[in-house]
Amino acid sequence: MLNIDLHCHSTISDGLLTPTQLVERAAMRGVETLALTDHDDIAGLAEARQVAVAKNITFINGVEISVSWRGRTLHIVGLGIDPEYTLLVEGLAVIRAGRSQRAENIAAELAKIGIHGSLEGAYAHVGERRLIGRTHFARFLVEQGHAKDVKSVFKKYLVKGKPGYAAHEWTTLSDAVRWICGSGGRAVIAHPGRYDLGKNVLKDLLHEFCTLGGSAIEVITASHTPEQAKQFAQHAQTMDLLASCGSDFHGPGESYYDLGQLPELPSGCTPVWHDWKNNA
Ligand code: AMP
Ligand code: MN
Ligand code: MN
Ligand code: MN
């Protein structure tokens, strides 16, 4: 079976490894096809591709776009995108600009419960200032002893209903899918099991996503239990969606799955890579 990993992060967003280190780790772990999918940024793709080529890895240009849909945040992965496509490049720049304002709002929320200095503290953990995100706040909170690890932070802070949460309007689902498809890529709903959607809302989302031109959902991801993987494999088949798989690796010790350590797609799924050259 092909060792393929279509979702991971570098220091360009909230990963711990540089694009070079990430691809080197993937190579060491036997990954044959890799997509780098940093949040709202494509600045790591050229470096990652260069290393991938040297390591004989098939490299897929990717991105993970933050979207607001019916008051929720969704993540849409783009695979096989063109990093020079103007609408995509400009759209991502707008999303990133919103991140710095949100970071100030998060810091103000944390200050309300007596946690001061978090803005500077979070920026100290960031690779690229423009991509400041909750993971960087989480690493600061761990460093300050407010939680034992990043995962535990998200149980107590930074999420709806908890201290340090700041609501934020990202881009629309329709824009994200349009930018991805317009650039020649394939749009994938990332970790659909994480959004806690009821049956009807999930159905609405999948319908709307297909109508907009979206073509795949993640079935295998660190966010899914084996049971959820089966459920979403079923949804993919019912909706004629392709199935994707990715570790969502952020760094050693911070992620449930390491690069290229993924279970197989359940049988009956059509892989999102089924018609890619080199992988057929
Ligand atoms: P942001 O895009 O800045 O809102 O940050 C989202 C990122 O926070 C995700 O991509 C994860 O890296 C991290 N994150 C969110 N929820 C959790 C969680 N429960 N456990 C660990 N990391 C999380
Ligand atoms: Mn992340
Ligand atoms: Mn995500
Ligand atoms: Mn991710």
Side-chain angles (χ1 to χ4, degrees), residues 69-70 199-210:
W69 183 80
R70 295 196 187 176
K199 207 169 133 209
N200 290 333
V201 181
L202 175 65
K203 213 164 140 192
D204 285 357
L205 171 62
L206 297 182
H207 274 289
E208 191 174 327
F209 181 66
C210 288

Side-chain angles (χ1 to χ4, degrees), residues 39-161:
H39 298 286
D40 309 320
D41 207 330
I42 49 182
L45 297 180
E47 179 185 325
R49 173 174 293 281
Q50 203 177 12
V51 182
V53 167
K55 300 278 181 187
N56 217 11
I57 290 177
T58 302
F59 186 75
I60 308 296
N61 288 328
V63 66
E64 182 175 19
I65 304 182
S66 311
V67 159
S68 294
W69 183 80
R70 295 196 187 176
R72 300 170 164 84
T73 298
L74 306 179
H75 286 171
I76 305 297
V77 161
L79 297 175
I81 48 153
D82 173 2
E84 313 230 310
Y85 182 63
T86 311
L87 278 186
L88 176 68
V89 170
E90 289 175 355
L92 294 178
V94 172
I95 303 181
R96 290 193 299 265
R99 280 182 171 273
S100 48
Q101 180 58 54
R102 183 187 65 148
E104 290 185 22
N105 299 342
I106 291 174
E109 288 301 316
L110 287 171
K112 284 184 190 165
I113 57 156
I115 299 177
H116 298 282
S118 71
L119 190 62
E120 303 71 36
Y123 273 116
H125 286 275
V126 90
E128 299 287 327
R129 285 183 71 83
R130 60 195 199 168
L131 227 292
I132 184 81
R134 284 184 297 161
T135 310
H136 308 110
F137 280 90
R139 289 182 188 139
F140 163 78
L141 290 169
V142 171
E143 180 188 85
Q144 296 291 306
H146 296 284
K148 72 173 194 312
D149 54 25
V150 165
K151 200 154 193 57
S152 315
V153 171
F154 284 94
K155 297 199 174 107
K156 293 200 287 184
Y157 305 97
L158 308 179
V159 294
K160 216 174 198 161

